[in-house]
Amino acid sequence: MPNMGRYEEVVNSFSWEISEKELGYRPGDIINIGEYCSDRNLRLGRKDRPALIWEGHSGEVKKYTFYEMSVLTNTIAGFLKNLGLQPGDRICLFMDRIPELYFGFLGILKMGGIAQPLFSAFGSESLITRLEDAQTAAIITQRKHLPKVRNIVESLPYLKHIIVVDDDGTKSLREKEIAFHMDKAPRLEKFDIYPSRAETPSVLHYTSGTTGKPKGAQHVHYSLISQYITARYVLDLRENDIYWCTADPGWVTGTSYGIIGPWANGNTQCVLDAGFKAETWYRFIEKYKITVWYSAPTAIRSLMKEGEEAVRRRNLSSLRHLCSVGEPLNAEAVHWSKNVFGLPFHDTFWQTETGSIVISNYPEMPVKAGSMGKPFPGVTATVVDLKTYQPVNKPGVVGLIALKPGWPSMFRTYWRNEATYQSKFKNGWYICGDRASIDEDGYYWFVGRDDDVINTGGHLVGPFEIESALLEHPAVAESAVVGKPDPVNMEVVKAFIALKPGNSPSQELELDIMNFIRKKLSPLAMPQEIEFVDSLPKTRSGKIMRRVLRAKEWGEEIGDTSTLEND
Ligand code: 6R9
């Protein structure tokens, strides 16, 4: 029997107190996510259960029990504290998906720090934007990523420590740099965990918007109440599950459901630190007997491309429940998974800002393939009119997804950007920035984003950040960046570029510009296509009209441009 029971019944009887009670939390108590995910499991008799089973890209395997995890997260917390880092300091995790990343996250929370996870694929420019804004005090990284940090260290006055987790003495460390070996460091059996309360900041996740720099969505320790119960009800995690979340903790899915939710439930998590390959993924599921699997549409579409044969070669009968997040999950993908795994993928919808799943398909509820499902019990959701922000209250009418603030894991502000945070609220609703409609049965159907943000393979990329970086290329006069349809990644980045006088379009220049962005920002932000143009469509006030270029790519009507022209 699924944990949640029948949706209609749970919706009527649910309150967040259920989650608080299960976690033994009473309002006003100390609540520390680091403690709940590790030490609490020892008190519940899970000491010898594997907490983390990790496999690296060359096949090496590491396993840690909850007991070892508790000691190692203490060890990291103690090390950070001894360096003089203070509660409230932002500590960045800039690593591949190695065990130090997962335990480092919990170690930071245990000593009261604010964890700031960033993708290790980020280049110096992506890094500096986010570290500058957060005024980050320390960064935990690996030798291989150290050059990117060294590039920018001079410009980061707040950065006091660069902690290298795999220094082997071959690279002489510079000022501010310090080596730390998780497995060799003196183990701390006991650590005085920081007595955080519900509203104490916990995690700072950067997310891209249409304009301006990426914004830091700031979360608090109380988010645990949402993350724990959604992992139990939506992912249906049960005591002996072996769980695999394919997301990187640089993305919120990799922290809310790749660290906090499952470990607060005491589950064994498997992590594969290797790129996507269907054969490797199926082998991984078979080898570790994964029971619950949380992935993303792009990965599922890539698996579909590889065909059924690859599935049939493996015994995947351990799988019990499948979920997906990040982009619209096509009906076709749901039918395919039902056919080849005997289980449909359950679509879930949420955001960095919501901190946990807010709309979803549940184990006991019939899946309407292609729909995102229904609001999580305890979350009040609706679709509001695009202009008046009043609930549309009519099946099939497209509007904006809106949520009533108040669920525990909602972000509390954008870091040092309260004005933008406030601008997300209309008529008392938090506006997600996505368009959808609700059908007569209450199921939500995703339509598209309401802004210019590009969703490539489930990752949000801000056009503004790419356009700004493009301008730093010596040949680029101006540019506009939009999403272009892609069969696997849903969208990929396309750049329209007007060149400076004296430069002419060529394939070499195109490649040079692509690489320039890949190194500066990240492989995800790299344009997959560049179109050289003489000039870009603009509003009268000189704003580039990305909407016009985007519509062209998608073969859509350009729509009303008059307002834009008079802008
Ligand atoms: C968790 C996460 C949030 C944006 C969101 C929407 C898109 C997420 C979706 C989905 C269609 C789904 N999105 N889940 N679109 N169907 N099931 O993805 O956080 O990186 O902040 O992205 O992703 O556009 O607003 P984040």
Side-chain angles (χ1 to χ4, degrees):
M1 267 300 282
N3 290 327
M4 183 169 162
R6 285 205 36 193
Y7 179 76
E8 286 72 20
E9 283 163 25
V10 180
V11 162
N12 290 328
S13 60
F14 186 85
S15 91
W16 295 107
E17 246 180 74
I18 296 175
S19 179
E20 294 182 348
K21 283 212 174 104
E22 286 187 18
L23 288 166
Y25 169 84
R26 283 161 313 169
D29 281 356
I30 287 169
I31 176 169
N32 185 298
I33 291 176
E35 200 275 340
Y36 267 97
C37 289
S38 59
D39 307 17
R40 177 171 177 267
N41 287 307
L42 309 191
R43 295 200 300 278
L44 297 178
R46 297 166 179 153
K47 180 168 157 284
D48 298 321
R49 175 180 298 175
L52 175 64
I53 302 177
W54 174 87
E55 200 176 297
H57 47 81
S58 49
E60 68 274 36
V61 176
K62 290 184 183 176
K63 290 187 185 178
Y64 300 88
T65 62
F66 273 106
Y67 168 72
E68 287 167 319
M69 182 224 232
S70 157
V71 174
L72 292 174
T73 50
N74 281 345
T75 306
I76 296 171
F79 176 80
L80 297 173
K81 200 172 169 181
N82 279 341
L83 280 180
L85 289 164
Q86 300 293 319
D89 277 349
R90 276 74 62 209
I91 304 175
C92 171
L93 297 148
F94 186 55
M95 282 174 274
D96 296 350
R97 282 173 285 173
I98 55 174
E100 286 84 346
L101 170 57
Y102 295 82
F103 295 169
F105 182 89
L106 298 180
I108 292 169
L109 297 180
K110 276 187 162 179
M111 54 74 66
I114 303 179
Q116 184 192 5
L118 294 178
F119 287 114
S120 64
F122 275 164
S124 297
E125 188 97 6
S126 291
L127 206 53
I128 197 168
T129 318
R130 291 156 176 86
L131 297 180
E132 233 172 18
D133 186 66
Q135 302 177 329
T136 308
I139 179 163
I140 312 180
T141 191
Q142 290 165 274
R143 258 184 306 154
K144 67 196 252 203
H145 301 303
L146 195 53
K148 296 191 275 190
V149 182
R150 285 180 172 174
N151 266 344
I152 55 172
V153 65
E154 293 291 320
S155 327
L156 295 167
Y158 290 89
L159 192 68
K160 296 193 203 99
H161 306 285
I162 301 163
I163 299 152
V164 187
V165 296
D166 58 352
D167 175 65
D168 59 0
T170 54
K171 236 183 201 155
S172 47
L173 295 182
R174 301 182 185 168
E175 202 194 328
K176 294 189 178 179
E177 296 171 358
I178 179 164
F180 171 76
H181 282 268
M182 185 175 80
D183 295 313
K184 292 187 205 152
R187 296 181 153 221
L188 272 189
E189 292 281 335
K190 289 263 170 301
F191 176 78
D192 236 347
I193 293 175
Y194 181 72
S196 42
R197 305 278 167 175
E199 293 304 308
T200 308
S202 55
V203 182
L204 192 57
H205 256 299
Y206 275 78
T207 177
S208 300
T210 310
T211 54
K213 293 185 169 176
K215 307 172 294 281
Q218 190 226 293
H219 291 279
V220 296
H221 282 269
Y222 190 63
S223 72
L224 174 73
I225 304 300
S226 290
Q227 288 148 348
Y228 161 81
I229 198 83
T230 47
R232 230 169 93 60
Y233 281 12
V234 184
L235 305 178
D236 198 34
L237 287 174
R238 305 180 202 166
E239 195 64 30
N240 292 309
D241 272 320
I242 311 281
Y243 168 72
W244 182 28
C245 169
T246 59
D248 185 308
W251 180 31
V252 69
T253 306
T255 55
S256 290
Y257 299 103
I259 299 180
I260 305 173
W263 277 336
N265 278 276
N267 290 109
T268 300
Q269 287 212 72
C270 296
V271 169
L272 176 62
D273 184 23
F276 174 82
K277 214 170 153 218
E279 171 54 25
T280 316
W281 278 33
Y282 294 141
R283 182 192 52 74
F284 193 70
I285 294 171
E286 181 181 54
K287 183 170 175 192
Y288 297 106
K289 301 194 169 51
I290 311 278
T291 56
V292 179
W293 182 20
Y294 197 17
S295 200
T298 292
I300 300 162
R301 287 192 290 267
S302 304
L303 294 174
M304 287 167 73
K305 251 176 72 181
E306 296 291 320
E308 281 182 52
E309 255 318 290
V311 183
R312 308 264 179 243
R313 277 200 292 274
R314 297 285 174 184
N315 177 359
L316 306 181
S317 59
S318 58
L319 289 173
R320 177 174 65 75
H321 190 55
L322 318 180
C323 293
S324 164
V325 64
E327 319 142 59
L329 181 66
N330 333 47
E332 201 192 340
V334 178
H335 298 310
W336 178 82
S337 90
K338 219 169 159 181
N339 183 29
V340 301
F341 302 119
L343 304 162
F345 266 97
H346 289 70
D347 193 14
T348 70
F349 167 90
W350 57 292
Q351 304 179 301
T352 303
E353 287 85 347
T354 70
S356 67
I357 295 163
V358 287
I359 296 173
S360 178
N361 290 281
Y362 308 95
E364 282 284 89
M365 192 176 85
V367 173
K368 284 198 191 184
S371 155
M372 304 195 294
K374 298 188 183 185
F376 185 78
V379 172
T380 307
T382 192
V383 160
V384 296
D385 182 83
L386 297 167
K387 290 202 176 80
T388 64
Y389 302 108
Q390 296 294 339
V392 297
N393 285 332
K394 219 168 145 200
V397 177
V398 174
L400 297 166
I401 302 177
L403 309 168
K404 262 271 130 73
W407 69 98
S409 67
M410 180 176 180
F411 73 133
R412 297 304 196 256
T413 189
Y414 287 121
W415 191 254
R416 301 201 300 148
N417 196 350
E418 179 69 16
T420 307
Y421 173 74
Q422 292 299 344
S423 73
K424 295 275 171 172
F425 297 89
K426 307 275 185 229
N427 283 346
W429 295 97
Y430 163 69
I431 307 294
C432 293
D434 289 297
R435 295 182 183 202
S437 67
I438 309 174
D439 70 15
E440 48 295 334
D441 299 323
Y443 282 73
Y444 283 62
W445 296 81
F446 186 81
V447 173
R449 285 193 61 96
D450 192 49
D451 58 18
D452 290 337
V453 172
I454 301 161
N455 187 333
T456 176
H459 295 283
L460 302 189
V461 187
F464 179 77
E465 204 181 1
I466 306 175
E467 288 161 3
S468 308
L470 279 168
L471 283 185
E472 291 175 38
H473 189 283
V476 175
E478 55 181 6
S479 71
V481 165
V482 300
K484 169 186 150 74
D486 181 82
V488 170
N489 289 301
M490 189 170 92
E491 287 183 283
V492 290
V493 173
K494 172 163 181 181
F496 292 85
I497 291 178
L499 293 170
K500 283 186 184 156
N503 295 281
S504 46
S506 72
Q507 212 170 9
E508 272 163 327
L509 182 59
E510 190 178 351
L511 283 178
D512 188 65
I513 295 174
M514 286 174 174
N515 272 322
F516 181 77
I517 298 300
R518 184 174 56 81
K519 288 213 191 98
K520 230 180 196 343
L521 297 177
S522 74
L524 282 173
M526 183 183 84
Q528 301 287 322
E529 192 180 311
I530 290 177
E531 188 172 325
F532 293 108
V533 291
D534 292 336
S535 64
L536 297 163
K538 292 207 191 96
T539 62
R540 283 197 196 150
S541 61
K543 281 193 197 121
I544 293 167
M545 291 166 76
R546 291 197 200 97
R547 191 150 72 82
V548 173
L549 297 166
R550 192 180 186 283
K552 217 177 90 198
E553 292 304 312
W554 290 75
E556 288 166 357
E557 289 287 311
I558 290 170
D560 179 13
T561 53
S562 58
T563 50
L564 274 164
E565 273 158 7
N566 295 324
D567 195 3

